[in-house]
Amino acid sequence: DEYKWKGPFYFIQGADPQFGLMKAWATGDTKNGDDEWEEEIKLAEQAVQAINKLNPKPKFFVLCGDLIHGMPGTQWRKDQEQDLKNVLKNIDQDIPLVFVSGNHDIGNAPTRESIDDYCKNWGDDYFSFWVGGVFFLVLNSQLYFDSSKCPELKQAQDAWLNEQLAVAEKQKCKHIIVFQHIPLFLRNPDEDHDYFNLEKSVRQEIMEKFHKAGIKAVFSGHYHRNAGGSYRGLEMVVSSAIGCQLGEDTHGLRVVVVTDEKIVHRYYSLTELSSQGIEKELLDMLAKQN
């Protein structure tokens, strides 16, 4: 049933609730300073409350990685995970949750064990799903960042992705949208590689593959600031964090409206979304049933 286009809809994208980073960042100890996350709990609760108030309801809420700050094997990790789950339990049961793995969830250089542990807690590290004629792909971007400890898992994701893109072509979907934690690039497709984007040759290969497949947009987090750009009709959307901000943006969420022709999105602060809801212009787009 979800293979068919039924008219415009919207979803909510959030990123980096990252329980523990605010204290770690403030104390300058990002390795061990994550022993408090009261502020992040409050922000995540605010995000859930804002989403629950929305009318009409979003089709789903996707969290684009770095659910918690504690890296695999660190002291506070289990507590951070449990506290995030406790907050997310309160989301309206009609709004499905979609989880994307980030570097703090599975490690900068993930292993089979760290990925297995993530999957036990949050679900598959890559998968696809359909909503109203639109095909969504969730990818494990750490396998593009550094797969040196699990090369066979990167090969498996690559093979799976090729199969999925072949399915999408056959099904004649309305749009294809990708979710991953690390952006392909922050502003320019040919910018230098650093911690916040993918290495240039890897990026180029993925961008070409996505462009050829007709993918419209990639949504990511990781940067803790809003950014983005485009490559040959492929839009790269980088959303700031629910949790710790590393730039001038406010704690927030992105509202993404999917229409027949295009994908339109706005970033809202948690306070804005909670008090005012979605702007009239976006609501009007949703009201235009085909």
Side-chain angles (χ1 to χ4, degrees):
D1 189 37
E2 289 298 337
Y3 290 149
K4 293 191 202 70
W5 177 252
K6 305 187 193 83
F9 65 87
Y10 83 104
F11 62 87
I12 301 289
Q13 183 219 4
D16 304 272
Q18 205 159 340
F19 283 21
L21 176 59
M22 289 172 91
K23 163 86 189 294
W25 191 257
T27 58
D29 180 5
T30 52
K31 285 216 167 36
N32 311 300
D34 60 332
D35 58 346
E36 280 175 32
W37 49 91
E38 277 307 311
E39 271 186 277
E40 283 96 340
I41 289 175
K42 287 197 188 100
L43 290 162
E45 284 173 344
Q46 201 182 341
V48 165
Q49 285 157 9
I51 292 167
N52 284 347
K53 272 177 156 172
L54 294 172
N55 186 23
K57 287 190 207 315
K59 286 286 183 186
F60 60 88
F61 172 32
V62 58
L63 270 171
C64 281
D66 281 2
L67 306 172
I68 50 149
H69 183 67
M71 286 277 189
T74 56
Q75 187 178 359
W76 306 107
R77 183 177 172 87
K78 286 277 167 267
D79 292 341
Q80 289 167 2
E81 286 178 336
Q82 194 49 57
D83 282 351
L84 178 58
K85 284 178 183 177
N86 289 342
V87 172
L88 294 175
K89 269 184 207 147
N90 296 317
I91 201 120
D92 185 313
Q93 62 190 31
D94 294 331
I95 303 171
L97 282 162
V98 177
F99 296 108
V100 181
S101 62
N103 56 308
H104 282 263
D105 305 312
I106 57 176
N108 285 322
T111 61
R112 184 173 277 282
E113 292 72 34
S114 72
I115 291 174
D116 282 350
D117 182 61
Y118 170 86
C119 293
K120 279 192 202 98
N121 264 301
W122 304 102
D124 293 340
D125 59 322
Y126 58 89
F127 56 97
S128 64
F129 61 97
W130 288 82
V131 174
V134 178
F135 192 42
F136 291 93
L137 293 163
V138 172
L139 298 179
N140 178 345
S141 54
Q142 285 318 116
L143 296 174
Y144 296 127
F145 193 81
D146 182 355
S147 62
S148 57
K149 292 179 179 167
C150 56
E152 75 289 355
L153 296 185
K154 179 186 185 293
Q155 284 164 353
Q157 177 172 259
D158 287 345
W160 172 86
L161 179 57
N162 291 337
E163 283 164 19
Q164 296 297 306
L165 295 176
V167 166
E169 192 174 23
K170 249 206 328 258
Q171 287 284 357
K172 301 274 181 281
C173 52
K174 188 60 82 174
H175 304 291
I176 312 172
I177 295 174
V178 171
F179 298 121
Q180 59 187 55
H181 178 61
I182 299 184
L184 298 168
F185 58 89
L186 297 172
R187 290 193 172 80
N188 301 305
D190 57 354
E191 69 198 16
D192 289 340
H193 166 55
D194 67 17
Y195 175 77
F196 288 111
N197 60 20
L198 291 180
E199 195 272 316
K200 271 175 128 171
S201 62
V202 174
R203 177 197 317 167
Q204 190 57 42
E205 193 183 323
I206 298 170
M207 290 190 308
E208 253 323 286
K209 179 182 282 194
F210 285 3
H211 164 68
K212 283 200 179 97
I215 290 171
K216 293 276 177 71
V218 177
F219 288 88
S220 70
H222 189 53
Y223 191 44
H224 295 254
R225 284 154 281 209
N226 287 308
S230 65
Y231 171 83
R232 302 181 70 186
L234 167 74
E235 189 183 8
M236 180 68 244
V237 185
V238 185
S239 292
S240 198
I242 292 170
C244 190
Q245 298 299 315
L246 301 183
E248 302 301 305
D249 296 295
T250 48
H251 310 280
L253 295 164
R254 193 172 291 277
V255 173
V256 186
V257 176
V258 183
T259 75
D260 194 6
E261 289 97 35
K262 56 190 178 178
I263 295 150
V264 183
H265 50 87
R266 302 264 159 86
Y267 184 83
Y268 290 83
S269 76
L270 294 178
T271 317
E272 246 180 329
L273 195 60
S274 191
S275 59
Q276 292 156 35
I278 304 173
E279 287 161 89
K280 184 175 182 311
E281 186 192 341
L282 295 185
L283 287 171
D284 288 349
M285 283 178 158
L286 288 171
K288 288 192 178 116
Q289 289 303 323
N290 294 354

